[in-house]
């Protein structure tokens, strides 16, 4: 009400058109409805344009299993943004004040969220629908109340502000009075700290963004893969700022509910001595490291060993299995590039048929060309540093007796005495 009164008083001096927008969240019953009616009546008496909406958020909070305050905030700003668009407004002024700033900064630092995003409430923030401004961040609640008394501004008190149910209220009632007693200007000092830290953060993030691009191997809407060695070459300060940048890309418009603990977990996974590992973080985010690659993904990938049934290999002909195409030919001449990893040549005579392409199986063992004894297929994947997420989708070529002939692009698994004229490749 103090902000509304002040902007109304200054509208001619600053050439403003003032529109008041009120959200009744449907969470406090009759008192909340009376609040909306009070503001509407004030606007009518002072010829101020008024917009309101009545919501019913209780059911949505239960359905989404989220916090009341977060759900209410999202719904509130969605409505306010629509009002701005409807009126062609350039600024949205909210009445956050110095006490709110102290509470917010303490809450963020206590929970470890101060490293992600703004350290406190920004004086202004650009959104798709316009700019949010907070003209009262430099003044305390006591100063606002004094203004209301001097100017005769009437207001209503939200009784939920007195409850200990909300974390902010507990900071407000228990911590803030002590800080003000020790330092009356604590709100000014923390406001300056917030502004300085945000400026520093933006500078470091710009440096981090420039360097991190060099470590990105691939980028899709719901997934980013980075090079572990390239990432490890960056200063730790840029790595810390880089994790939130990757998350910001993945979450887009959503706000990640992550803290400094999650950032440290990600850094340990990327920089650790273990060649592979996985983090299952909040909101569907997964971080998967496999050797020299680390994947940040919003897609929960479920391992599926038998994504496709085994298929008989057409000889000669083409066989498609799980997105891979295998071509078989019979010839009495070696192909020009027969020693390459994507070509396997073997003697046709005596070869047990039919040939089959399938996925790997837990007990798979092979007899590599030039080696005595057998070797686990899984060991080959490890030695060749094949990403764990694709091992179960890798084609395995076996003969009619079930012996493995070839792991395409990895190993030839049987001795090849090419003495006969007819060969298969």
């Amino acid at each position: 009400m103090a902000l509304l009164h002040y902007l109304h008083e200054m509208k001619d001096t600053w050439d403003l058109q003032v529109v008041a927008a009120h959200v009744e969240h449907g969470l406090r019953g009759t008192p909340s409805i009376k609040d909306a009616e009070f503001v509407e009546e004030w606007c009518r008496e002072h010829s101020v344009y008024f917009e309101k909406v009545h919501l019913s958020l209780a059911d949505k909070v239960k359905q989404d299993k989220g916090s009341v305050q977060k759900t209410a905030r999202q719904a509130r700003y969605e409505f306010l943004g629509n009002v701005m668009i409807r009126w062609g407004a350039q600024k949205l002024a909210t009445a956050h004040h110095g006490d709110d700033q102290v509470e917010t900064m303490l809450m963020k630092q206590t929970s470890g969220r101060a490293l992600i995003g703004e350290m406190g409430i920004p004086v202004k923030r650009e959104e798709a629908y316009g700019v949010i401004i907070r003209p009262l961040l430099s003044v305390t609640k006591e100063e606002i109340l004094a203004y209301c008394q001097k100017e005769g501004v009437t207001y209503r008190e939200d009784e939920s502000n007195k409850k200990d149910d909300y974390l902010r209220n507990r900071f407000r009632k228990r911590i803030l009075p002590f800080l003000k007693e020790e330092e009356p200007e604590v709100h000014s000092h923390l406001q300056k700290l917030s502004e300085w830290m945000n400026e520093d953060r933006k500078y470091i993030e710009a440096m981090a963004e420039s360097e991190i691009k060099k470590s990105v191997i691939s980028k899709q809407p719901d997934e980013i893969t980075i090079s572990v060695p390239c990432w490890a070459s960056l200063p730790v300060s840029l790595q810390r700022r880089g994790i939130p940048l990757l998350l910001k890309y993945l979450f887009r418009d959503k706000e990640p509910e992550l803290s400094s603990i999650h950032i440290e977990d990600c850094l340990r996974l990327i920089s650790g001595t273990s060649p592979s590992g996985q983090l299952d973080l909040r909101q569907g985010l997964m971080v998967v490291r496999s050797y020299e690659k680390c994947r940040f993904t919003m897609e929960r990938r479920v391992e599926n060993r038998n994504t496709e049934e085994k298929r008989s290999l057409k000889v000669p002909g083409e066989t498609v299995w799980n997105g891979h195409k295998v071509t078989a030919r019979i010839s009495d001449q070696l192909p020009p590039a027969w020693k390459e990893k994507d070509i396997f040549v073997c003697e046709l005579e005596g070869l047990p048929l039919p040939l089959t392409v399938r996925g790997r199986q837990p007990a798979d063992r092979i007899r590599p060309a030039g080696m005595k004894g057998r070797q686990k297929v899984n060991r080959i994947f490890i030695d060749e540093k094949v990403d764990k997420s694709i091992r179960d989708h890798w084609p395995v070529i076996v003969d009619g007796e079930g012996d493995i002939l070839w792991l395409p692009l990895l190993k030839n698994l049987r001795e090849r005495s090419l003495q006969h004229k007819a060969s298969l490749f």
Side-chain angles (χ1 to χ4, degrees):
M1 292 306 300
L3 176 64
L4 179 56
H5 178 273
Y6 182 73
L7 292 177
H8 178 61
E9 290 292 304
M10 299 300 295
K11 63 182 177 60
D12 293 332
T13 303
W14 291 347
D15 191 23
L16 300 178
Q17 181 182 23
V18 179
V19 178
H22 185 91
V23 180
E24 196 278 300
H25 299 95
L27 296 170
R28 295 187 291 114
T30 300
S32 180
I33 296 175
K34 293 294 184 182
D35 289 346
E37 293 174 349
F38 171 82
V39 179
E40 186 172 15
E41 179 62 26
W42 190 97
C43 290
R44 186 182 298 111
E45 292 176 357
H46 293 80
S47 301
V48 173
Y49 294 107
F50 181 72
E51 294 263 3
K52 69 177 178 180
V53 65
H54 292 276
L55 303 174
S56 180
L57 296 182
D59 294 337
K60 183 171 177 55
V61 171
K62 292 180 181 179
Q63 179 181 349
D64 297 345
K65 297 181 180 180
S67 69
V68 174
Q69 292 182 325
K70 180 182 178 182
T71 302
R73 183 183 183 278
Q74 291 175 339
R76 181 167 61 252
Y77 276 97
E78 180 179 354
F79 168 72
L80 295 175
N82 289 333
V83 172
M84 289 189 70
I85 294 173
R86 188 158 55 247
W87 283 87
Q90 297 175 329
K91 301 288 193 301
L92 168 63
T94 67
H96 295 92
H97 49 74
D99 289 18
D100 294 327
Q101 181 70 291
V102 176
E103 295 160 7
T104 298
M105 293 181 67
L106 291 176
M107 289 165 61
K108 278 197 168 187
Q109 291 180 74
T110 303
S111 65
R113 292 183 293 114
L115 284 175
I116 301 179
E118 303 279 357
M119 185 176 187
I121 305 172
V123 175
K124 68 176 181 178
R125 186 177 78 239
E126 293 187 5
E127 296 287 348
Y129 48 76
V131 180
I132 300 176
I133 60 173
R134 298 176 173 100
L136 304 183
L137 275 183
S138 61
V139 299
T140 64
K141 185 174 182 179
E142 287 81 2
E143 291 172 322
I144 293 173
L145 293 174
Y147 172 84
C148 289
Q149 184 176 8
K150 177 183 176 182
E151 299 293 330
V153 180
T154 55
Y155 57 88
R156 287 174 60 89
E157 188 75 21
D158 182 347
E159 77 278 2
S160 66
N161 289 340
K162 301 176 183 179
K163 297 181 179 179
D164 283 349
D165 298 355
Y166 303 116
L167 177 63
R168 180 177 292 276
N169 289 355
R170 297 195 291 274
F171 271 87
R172 180 177 299 157
K173 293 170 63 176
R174 303 172 189 176
I175 308 299
L176 195 56
F178 166 76
L179 294 177
K180 286 189 173 184
E181 183 179 353
E182 292 294 320
E183 175 51 68
E185 294 298 314
V186 61
H187 67 286
S188 297
H189 299 326
L190 288 185
Q191 176 62 32
K192 184 175 293 184
L193 174 63
S194 175
E195 293 175 4
W196 286 14
M197 291 296 291
N198 285 333
E199 289 174 358
D200 293 349
R201 175 184 59 81
K202 291 177 182 178
Y203 176 74
I204 296 176
E205 282 185 354
M207 294 180 59
E209 184 174 8
S210 176
E211 293 298 320
I212 286 172
K213 287 180 179 178
K214 302 174 184 178
S215 68
V216 174
I217 297 175
S218 64
K219 184 168 68 172
Q220 301 173 21
D222 294 320
E223 183 174 299
I224 297 179
T225 302
I226 62 171
S227 163
V228 171
C230 187
W231 180 277
S233 68
L234 298 176
V236 176
S237 58
L238 297 187
Q239 293 183 31
R240 289 197 188 103
R241 291 297 179 184
I243 297 295
L245 289 177
L246 296 178
L247 304 187
K248 183 179 179 181
Y249 168 81
L250 292 174
F251 280 96
R252 296 189 207 37
D253 298 332
K254 296 187 295 183
E255 183 178 351
E257 297 178 358
L258 305 174
S259 68
S260 57
I261 296 175
H262 301 103
I263 294 177
E264 292 294 335
D265 287 343
C266 291
L267 294 180
R268 276 194 291 269
L269 177 65
I270 299 173
S271 306
T273 56
S274 176
S276 62
Q278 178 175 303
L279 286 175
D280 193 350
L281 302 180
R282 297 178 180 178
Q283 297 171 275
L285 173 65
M286 295 186 69
V287 186
V288 183
R289 177 180 171 181
S290 182
Y291 303 104
E292 295 186 350
K293 296 180 181 180
C294 189
R295 188 174 74 250
F296 292 75
T297 178
M298 299 299 296
E299 178 184 354
R300 292 183 177 272
R301 296 193 175 185
V302 179
E303 296 295 335
N304 183 0
R305 292 196 174 277
N306 297 310
T307 57
E308 186 169 324
E309 296 294 331
K310 62 182 180 181
R311 291 193 176 186
S312 295
L313 207 64
K314 296 178 182 178
V315 182
E318 291 184 350
T319 305
V320 177
W321 179 88
N322 223 14
H324 303 280
K325 183 173 70 173
V326 182
T327 303
R329 299 174 186 171
I330 300 175
S331 175
D332 58 1
Q333 300 290 330
L334 289 175
W338 70 279
K339 291 186 178 182
E340 297 297 325
K341 286 187 175 182
D342 60 346
I343 294 179
F344 173 63
V345 182
C346 69
E347 188 67 53
L348 180 60
E349 185 176 325
L351 182 65
L353 299 176
L355 303 185
T356 302
V357 55
R358 62 166 173 79
R360 68 167 179 166
Q361 297 177 358
D364 273 349
R365 290 176 178 269
I366 53 139
R367 183 180 291 109
M371 291 182 60
K372 293 182 179 180
R374 290 179 175 270
Q375 186 178 15
K376 290 183 178 179
V377 168
N378 191 52
R379 184 73 253 172
I380 293 178
F381 283 125
I382 293 173
D383 293 342
E384 297 291 334
K385 298 182 178 181
V386 176
D387 194 305
K388 292 177 68 174
S389 66
I390 62 175
R391 292 177 188 174
D392 290 325
H393 311 281
W394 202 280
V396 178
I397 311 299
V398 299
D399 64 19
E401 296 179 352
D403 289 335
I404 298 176
L405 292 175
W406 183 36
L407 284 180
L409 304 179
L410 296 179
K411 286 214 179 219
N412 296 322
L413 310 174
R414 173 175 287 184
E415 289 286 359
R416 298 176 299 181
S417 56
L418 303 176
Q419 300 174 356
H420 300 278
K421 292 184 179 180
S423 298
L424 173 73
F425 66 90

